[in-house]
């Protein structure tokens, strides 16, 4: 699981596989996150993802929060990354950790 690679790299992570949109919004309203990630294997979740990402960005305590997506849905068609409003994708867990570190460091460098 990707979350384990992040934990091994020293990231503090929260994994919420059964969370509702409202659950996710509540978490980003109450805790500060540098990165939000979604992994998707099934296209049925694509349609609700763009409005959810917008809600999370708006609700986030970190106005510079970054969003990464991954999984088969994005591997098959990388254009979907922009279509859902995410910042980046990665093809595997190791690349995800490196990409996330770059995204967060770029944000912090600007601040």
């Amino acid at each position: 699981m990707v979350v384990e690679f992040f934990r091994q790299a020293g990231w503090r992570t929260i994994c919420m596989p059964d969370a509702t949109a409202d659950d996710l919004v509540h978490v980003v309203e109450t805790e500060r996150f540098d990165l939000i990630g979604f992994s998707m294997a099934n296209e049925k979740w694509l349609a609700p993802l763009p409005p959810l990402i917008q809600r999370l960005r708006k609700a986030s305590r970190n106005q510079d929060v970054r969003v990464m997506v991954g999984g088969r849905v994005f591997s098959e068609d990388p254009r979907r990354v922009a279509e859902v409003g995410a910042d980046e994708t990665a093809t595997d867990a190791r690349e995800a950790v490196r990409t996330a570190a770059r995204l967060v460091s770029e944000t912090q460098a600007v601040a």
Side-chain angles (χ1 to χ4, degrees):
M1 212 173 184
V2 175
V3 71
E4 287 305 318
F5 281 83
F6 276 89
R7 287 180 181 150
Q8 290 173 9
W11 290 71
R12 186 179 73 87
T13 64
I14 297 175
C15 184
M16 300 175 65
D18 297 321
T20 66
D22 290 340
D23 293 337
L24 297 173
V25 168
H26 176 73
V27 168
V28 301
E29 286 175 333
T30 57
E31 295 188 46
R32 188 181 189 286
F33 292 89
D34 293 319
L35 181 75
I36 299 169
F38 294 94
S39 180
M40 217 174 269
N42 189 324
E43 286 119 12
K44 76 177 184 177
W45 300 110
L46 275 174
L49 193 55
L52 175 58
I53 289 174
Q54 287 179 339
R55 278 184 72 192
L56 293 171
R57 287 186 192 275
K58 185 175 181 181
S60 177
R61 292 183 69 181
N62 178 1
Q63 293 307 300
D64 292 321
V65 69
R66 295 295 176 235
V67 177
M68 278 188 66
V69 292
R72 183 186 55 79
V73 168
F74 299 101
S75 302
E76 289 177 352
D77 188 351
R79 294 174 300 178
R80 291 176 170 155
V81 176
E83 290 170 4
V84 299
D87 298 302
E88 276 286 356
T89 189
T91 57
D92 61 41
R94 285 182 181 84
E95 182 184 348
V97 172
R98 288 190 304 270
T99 301
R102 179 182 47 79
L103 279 174
V104 171
S105 69
E106 288 172 358
T107 302
Q108 292 171 348
V110 173

